[in-house]
Amino acid sequence: MAMNPKPTANAASVQPFVKMITLVIASYGYGHLAAHCIESTLSQTVLPSRILFVDDGAHDCLHLENLYPEIEFIHRPKNLGTVANFQDILLRVETEYVMFLGADNWIRSDTIELLSKEKADIVTYDIVVTGELKDEILERVPGESTKLNGDHYWHRKDKHHGSMMYRTKLGQRVRYENRFSNSSAHPQEDWRLWDLMLASGASVSSIPQGLLFYRRHRENFLKYQSENSLNSAVTA
């Protein structure tokens, strides 16, 4: 059931919230970074109706439940993998819209407020790429970003990314699945979801502001090496 976050002794207890959005925080091995992500969701000018945090079997986020009782936690007993994990969570969402946020990233404090004003089937927004390994984005998507205060501003107008907001029923109909049959590569489940939602006639709107802070760090860097190798093989 979608719900207003539980009252707490801090400022979140008096914040307004919207009934239309569920925010899912997904973690696997990001227990050292996840509190930063959670803090960014609780500091929103308008809170989402529901915040779900799922640890996909890494067991490094158990301490967070006591710190943040207003968050709904799911601790997987074992790792399901990205696709099965996301699909299971998506089927639990009942609000009109949903968005997934990696626990190693964070969002600007007015993100939910801005998203709640949009009416398209899919809503995207720009990204600020930061972190120790931020320069990797220059090789992975050359020409798509510009310098911003030492970070990289990634322009995503009418383009996909994993934390796009989309209509829940549409996503449930399309489903999260692997984009490629090669199971050793990064599944690119969000790319597949985007492609099939567009193919079904989904409308898209974009917010031309950097709302997502996308942290490029040692823990998540290697997956793009395998992904880039697969993309090279597909386009060769």
Side-chain angles (χ1 to χ4, degrees):
M1 178 184 298
M3 62 183 69
N4 186 11
K6 301 172 187 176
T8 66
N10 59 27
S13 62
V14 296
Q15 286 173 272
F17 74 101
V18 292
K19 295 181 179 179
M20 59 185 284
I21 302 172
T22 292
L23 191 154
V24 177
I25 301 173
S27 182
Y28 182 69
Y30 296 153
H32 59 303
L33 301 172
H36 187 189
C37 177
I38 291 174
E39 292 280 347
S40 79
T41 65
L42 294 179
S43 70
Q44 292 295 301
T45 54
V46 174
L47 290 169
S49 174
R50 186 184 188 190
I51 302 174
L52 272 170
F53 185 105
V54 55
D55 168 25
D56 192 21
H59 310 299
D60 60 350
C61 296
L62 295 173
H63 63 291
L64 297 172
E65 194 161 358
N66 289 331
L67 287 172
Y68 303 105
E70 58 269 73
I71 306 295
E72 295 180 57
F73 284 86
I74 297 173
H75 300 285
R76 305 278 193 201
K78 63 179 181 179
N79 176 249
L80 295 184
T82 301
V83 175
N85 181 40
F86 280 22
Q87 180 59 24
D88 174 73
I89 293 297
L90 178 57
L91 293 177
R92 302 183 189 216
V93 176
E94 298 177 354
T95 50
E96 182 179 2
Y97 287 96
V98 63
M99 63 176 287
F100 283 70
L101 178 62
D104 52 338
N105 304 322
W106 70 96
I107 51 176
R108 206 173 76 182
S109 291
D110 58 347
T111 298
I112 298 300
E113 181 176 2
L114 292 174
L115 290 174
S116 68
K117 298 175 182 178
E118 299 293 322
K119 302 300 180 185
D121 297 320
I122 308 171
V123 184
T124 69
Y125 43 90
D126 295 343
I127 299 172
V128 178
V129 184
T130 187
E132 178 192 11
L133 301 175
K134 62 193 173 190
D135 290 345
E136 176 265 347
I137 200 73
L138 299 176
E139 297 182 6
R140 182 153 61 93
V141 287
E144 293 189 11
S145 63
T146 54
K147 283 283 188 180
L148 176 68
N149 301 325
D151 292 321
H152 301 294
Y153 189 97
W154 192 7
H155 303 274
R156 303 305 295 158
K157 178 176 172 55
D158 299 330
K159 295 182 179 179
H160 132 282
H161 61 73
S163 291
M164 59 191 169
M165 185 181 77
Y166 58 88
R167 289 193 186 276
T168 302
K169 289 184 179 179
L170 176 60
Q172 290 172 339
R173 186 164 67 246
V174 169
R175 300 179 56 83
Y176 278 110
E177 292 182 6
N178 284 298
R179 189 182 185 197
F180 301 108
S181 59
N182 186 342
S183 60
S184 65
H186 185 259
Q188 295 191 3
E189 72 295 330
D190 47 351
W191 266 108
R192 179 190 176 278
L193 189 76
W194 164 265
D195 288 341
L196 293 186
M197 287 194 296
L198 291 185
S200 69
S203 59
V204 179
S205 66
S206 297
I207 299 174
Q209 299 185 51
L211 302 183
L212 173 68
F213 289 85
Y214 180 39
R215 192 195 316 254
R216 304 301 295 135
H217 55 93
R218 301 181 192 193
E219 182 71 22
N220 68 10
F221 184 69
L222 292 178
K223 72 177 182 181
Y224 285 103
Q225 292 184 330
S226 62
E227 180 179 324
N228 288 339
S229 297
L230 177 60
N231 286 341
S232 297
V234 170
T235 57

